[in-house]
Amino acid sequence: MSADGTIVARKLCKSFGHHRVLKDIDLTVAAGEISCIIGPSGSGKSTLLRCINGLETIDRGVLRVNGEDFGHVEHENAYHAVTPQRLAHQRTRIGMVFQQFNLFPNMTAEANVMSGPVLVKKVARKAAREQAAELLARVGLAGCGHKFPAQLSGGQQQRVAIARALAMDPSIMLFDEPTSALDPERVGEVLAVMRDLADLGMTMLVVTHEMGFAREVAKDILFMDDGVAVERGDAREVLANPAEPRTREFLERVL
Ligand code: ADP
Ligand code: MG
């Protein structure tokens, strides 16, 4: 069976200096599944996504993305990291969407969406431009390709960012609080695009405070606190009836 679109972490650890940010994290996302990560600020959610996207190396444990090792420990002090070349290739298969959109401000929406295919995959400009137009239409931004990020609303910019990630034809999409920087009336349009992606069978790992989205769209939810995976399970079950007191406290604060 193909391991495309899968994420497996076992006892994943990550420290910055003496600060242990991820402590023995276990996580499994099957192909086509949507998982949400919730938890207070500073609990390690972004760091976990950055490890999965190869933006950070892990210190210990196992991390397998699309069936390929990103690093594992065979025995004490024998950490095996993936080669930089392998990692660079792997990273093209993983789309990431950030809270602050991170669009190139000096490029049009179309040029933003074309940039990955043209620069990384060496796709011909004409083909990349056609694909960009299709993707912008898919996120509800047909006709906006000529606009610069500053001429777009936050919700529109975030949809361009999603189109840009999709242009690389990823098998996994990671979202780090994609709606947290948006005006409330713009949140729905971004969540709608994410719902469409979920319906198409994209594997998605979403850090979010949108509990409604998590309840409706996610299969599993992971609650993190202080670098620990405190509770993990069926999203509706955990949200309705958390087993751990820390999860319950957090949910009472945010719901
Ligand atoms: P969250 O996304 O849940 O808010 P983060 O993963 O951003 O949490 O951060 C977890 C902890 O790791 C925080 O205490 C943060 O200050 C620390 N941290 C994150 N990135 C770095 C870094 N590059 N260097 C040092 N500390 C970091
Ligand atoms: Mg974060």
Side-chain angles (χ1 to χ4, degrees), residues 80-95:
H80 294 264
V82 64
T83 64
Q85 292 80 6
R86 238 11 259 167
L87 188 62
H89 174 73
Q90 259 291 359
R91 293 203 52 212
T92 67
R93 317 270 336 274
I94 305 165

Side-chain angles (χ1 to χ4, degrees), residues 16 19 21 39-48 56 176-177 207:
F16 292 112
H19 183 186
V21 174
S41 176
S43 56
K45 307 181 298 296
S46 294
T47 304
L48 179 56
E56 301 282 0
D176 195 354
E177 301 195 32
V207 175

